[in-house]
Amino acid sequence: MNASASWVPARSLRPIRGLAASTVTLIALSALASACLSTAHLITGEPPAARTVHVAGLYALLQAPAGIAFVCWLLRARANAYAISPEAFHRYAALFMVAGWLLPVVQLFVPKGIVDDIWAASQPAEGPRGFLGDLRDARRPALVWAWWLAYLAMNAAWAAAVRTVPGTASPAVSPAVSPAVLVSAALAAHAALSLLAGALAVRVVTRITAFQGRAHGRRPQLAG
């Protein structure tokens, strides 16, 4: 996963606004649907653990279109970042653009690192040849940090809601705290965090897209 493994020759900028618009739409719909799913469980009083397989499958189905669109947008955005800053070395090889979201442990930090590198390399602030420094030393934007922490917290809240079964006691929790209350708290947190993570993801996509849009006048573009 060293930087040199990710180097590719400079490319021409490709249009990204249309892909970004589709990605933003799917992210917003996914966030809203996930929040509604948790809210529905809160209203009915049925915990996700009551139908784990079905509910987990529905949750994955809600997330999948947005996830696929986001990865496709990332692939286009990173290709453009290479064109804007051809001498910048990205920290992760191309295979981690997909595998980074799936591999245990790695999925906790690699996707954020990929977005951090694209963010930095998409801003030609150091001259006409783009970002000239080591991306490992680039400033980590607060917006990306906020999105990633909200995303991890959202998934943690959902996992807590699914794994907590009302009517069972947990030795790690005070007997005064009912498992049903814990499930309700986790579902409420998931609903709120789904909307927050979605809004922040939309902001990340639009900001990087805007950075690359400003570079279109300085680099040749490919049709399509």
Side-chain angles (χ1 to χ4, degrees):
M1 285 193 294
N2 61 39
S4 60
S6 310
W7 186 85
V8 296
R11 303 165 179 170
S12 298
L13 280 171
R14 299 184 65 188
I16 194 173
R17 291 188 182 277
L19 183 57
S22 300
T23 301
V24 163
T25 300
L26 288 172
I27 288 174
L29 291 175
S30 174
L32 181 59
S34 294
C36 288
L37 177 62
S38 290
T39 302
H41 281 293
L42 275 173
I43 294 173
T44 62
E46 181 186 48
R51 296 164 59 192
T52 303
V53 175
H54 298 88
V55 175
L58 178 58
Y59 180 65
L61 184 63
L62 294 174
Q63 296 291 321
I68 293 171
F70 188 67
V71 170
C72 291
W73 173 83
L74 277 178
L75 289 168
R76 176 67 60 85
R78 191 159 98 152
N80 282 348
Y82 280 125
I84 296 169
S85 301
E87 296 186 14
F89 288 84
H90 292 243
R91 290 173 290 170
Y92 300 103
L95 67 92
F96 286 98
M97 298 289 285
V98 175
W101 295 90
L102 305 175
L103 296 176
V105 181
V106 166
Q107 63 188 188
L108 297 176
F109 62 90
V110 166
K112 177 186 176 297
I114 290 172
V115 174
D116 279 333
D117 287 353
I118 292 173
W119 180 290
S122 295
Q123 302 181 73
E126 299 186 23
R129 301 196 66 182
F131 187 93
L132 301 178
D134 190 331
L135 288 175
R136 289 172 296 184
D137 299 326
R139 183 180 66 84
R140 303 289 174 251
L143 176 60
V144 177
W145 264 116
W147 156 67
W148 189 242
L149 292 176
Y151 172 78
L152 293 179
M154 175 193 74
N155 288 323
W158 179 252
V162 169
R163 293 173 184 173
T164 303
V165 181
T168 62
S170 173
V173 178
S174 168
V177 181
S178 165
V181 173
L182 294 178
V183 171
S184 296
L187 287 171
H190 178 262
L193 289 166
S194 294
L195 297 176
L196 176 61
L200 292 171
V202 164
R203 185 60 175 156
V204 168
V205 171
T206 55
R207 286 290 300 278
I208 292 177
T209 299
F211 295 153
Q212 297 190 351
R214 289 199 291 269
H216 276 199
R218 297 188 294 272
R219 293 284 193 279
Q221 300 181 37
L222 295 179

